[in-house]
Amino acid sequence: MPSYLVTGGAGFIGSHLVTELVRRGAQVRVVDDFSTGFRRNLDHVRGIEFLEGSLAELDVARRAVDGMAFVLHQAAIPSVPRSVSDPITSHRANLDATLNILVAARDAGVRRVVFAGSSAAYGNTPTLPKREDMPTRPLSPYALQKLVGEQYLSMFSELYGLEAVSIRYFNVFGPRQDPSSPYSGVISLFISALVEGRRPTIFGDGDQTRDFTYVANIVDGVLRATTAAGVSGEVINVATGSRISLNQLFRALRDLIGSNIEPVYSDPRAGDVRDSQADITKAQRLLGYEPLVTFEEGLRLTLEWYRTEIRA
Ligand code: UD1
């Protein structure tokens, strides 16, 4: 197995990629600055190399990619509202770091870079599901940074011949998603509130929808993108292809947990997209991707994990 750099490997999605790569016998290096990740997310894996530092520094990016065949660029500050309140910090983490990784990867002769893009790039499209050839309309600094990141990858592919693929994630959830910040993903926030007997907040009327995707599906899509032929420069949705509302999500979780807690409704969040649902035909065609874990099964696995964590 070749070598892989996972940037943001101590984060939620990064740590799942690292786990699977190590399971497959790959040589793995992680670079992380612990801005949103935790060393404990990798406590269960052995034999990886760890580099602590910020990729917003070019020399850190160069040390990180040195000798690596593949780069899975997951490092980011992934929150829409955090980018609305602090666009500069978010820009450094999401865009300066991406350019540094690309320059370093080009110079080091990396075989392929796979980038964590975001469905946030679409904004509010008039039709659903969202297809990669639809016009983009970023509604937040985060969405714009992720979109420009993708455009950088496509441009590096064209201009320098660097193999580079962007995967547009939709709302990813699963074990190790950190619920401790107001900027955390909504499923982690709802579960931790319900399990601890607190009332979760729903921003807006709760009828906004998302294509909630269990993390194992993302890991599969990203790893397929490292080897698929003819994908350099492409942007590819990886999700489930369905959507549910926040109100439906809340009720599903409440039923699973066996709680009768009511949510608190609050003002809609600035920069939020209303509806999100992926068209996954491009991933099916180019990557041979199919969702492996359903939303319901993913929710069950995630809940099991939080219950153990919260009890511990
Ligand atoms: C999420 C990801 C982002 C990813 C994008 C792709 C996180 C933190 N964000 O953004 O990285 O690129 O999907 O689609 O994982 N909400 C509540 N109550 C809460 C928190 C959130 O009602 O306590 C609502 C929000 O207003 C929003 C929805 O839940 O309508 C989802 O919010 P969030 O989990 O923050 O994700 P996105 O903003 O969709």
Side-chain angles (χ1 to χ4, degrees), residues 78-81 118-120 142 169-172 177 183-186 189-190 201-203 208 210 246 269 272-273 276:
S79 162
V80 170
S118 172
S119 59
Y142 170 80
Y169 300 168
F170 285 63
N171 290 62
V172 188
Q177 189 168 32
Y183 298 129
S184 300
V186 66
L189 290 172
F190 279 10
T201 302
I202 294 183
F203 296 118
Q208 66 268 45
R210 292 290 184 274
L246 272 276
R269 227 171 51 176
D272 257 14
V273 168
S276 186

